[in-house]
Amino acid sequence: MKTWMWIAVAVIVVIAAVSAYYLLTPDPNAGDRTKLERTFSTQEQHRLDTVTISGDQLAAATCRDGAACYVAVSGVVYDMTGFPTWVQRGAHHGVRAGSDATEAFVRSSHARDKLQSMPVVGRLAP
């Protein structure tokens, strides 16, 4: 066998091994409900105590046609305007803006710091 063929086979084997590793290794963040535990600044806590977003207001915040761009996670409404993928598509990994994304966030590979970085709008009305 020629040298270039051995190199091609070696590259294919390495790519297959790396792919298998990433596909078979569970994501440590996926399914971790503790990442819903978030600390709030004084300003954020004030917003949670004073601003209530109704289910209808959340549903209207779809990022489309100038609408706000919100999702709720664990009863807290977050502004997704600062995240371009949300604004451009009105969705992220199949989760639509204007919805409760709690379970999708728990299933995601996002770590706790992602939730911590999301701007708080207020509390979702019960």
Side-chain angles (χ1 to χ4, degrees):
M1 210 188 259
K2 296 189 181 207
T3 304
W4 66 269
M5 292 176 84
W6 282 110
I7 293 171
V9 168
V11 168
I12 290 170
V13 167
V14 168
I15 290 171
V18 169
S19 298
Y21 173 79
Y22 281 107
L23 290 172
L24 298 174
T25 304
D27 187 319
N29 293 316
D32 179 11
R33 295 196 79 78
T34 65
K35 64 185 175 181
L36 295 174
E37 299 166 11
R38 185 189 192 276
T39 57
F40 299 100
S41 69
T42 304
Q43 185 180 21
E44 290 171 329
Q45 189 60 55
H46 177 71
R47 254 185 249 123
L48 289 171
D49 294 340
T50 59
V51 179
T52 303
I53 306 296
S54 71
D56 289 342
Q57 288 172 307
L58 176 64
T62 62
C63 311
R64 300 193 190 276
D65 302 322
C69 191
Y70 298 163
V71 293
V73 176
S74 197
V76 178
V77 178
Y78 295 96
D79 183 352
M80 305 312 288
T81 305
F83 300 91
T85 54
W86 282 96
V87 175
Q88 292 167 357
R89 297 184 213 135
H92 181 66
H93 294 296
V95 178
R96 293 229 157 280
S99 68
D100 186 324
T102 304
E103 293 309 313
F105 186 76
V106 169
R107 288 190 307 270
S108 77
S109 62
H110 290 306
R112 181 181 297 198
D113 62 337
K114 177 54 80 176
L115 190 63
Q116 195 70 40
S117 72
M118 294 163 48
V120 173
V121 175
R123 189 165 307 280
L124 182 62

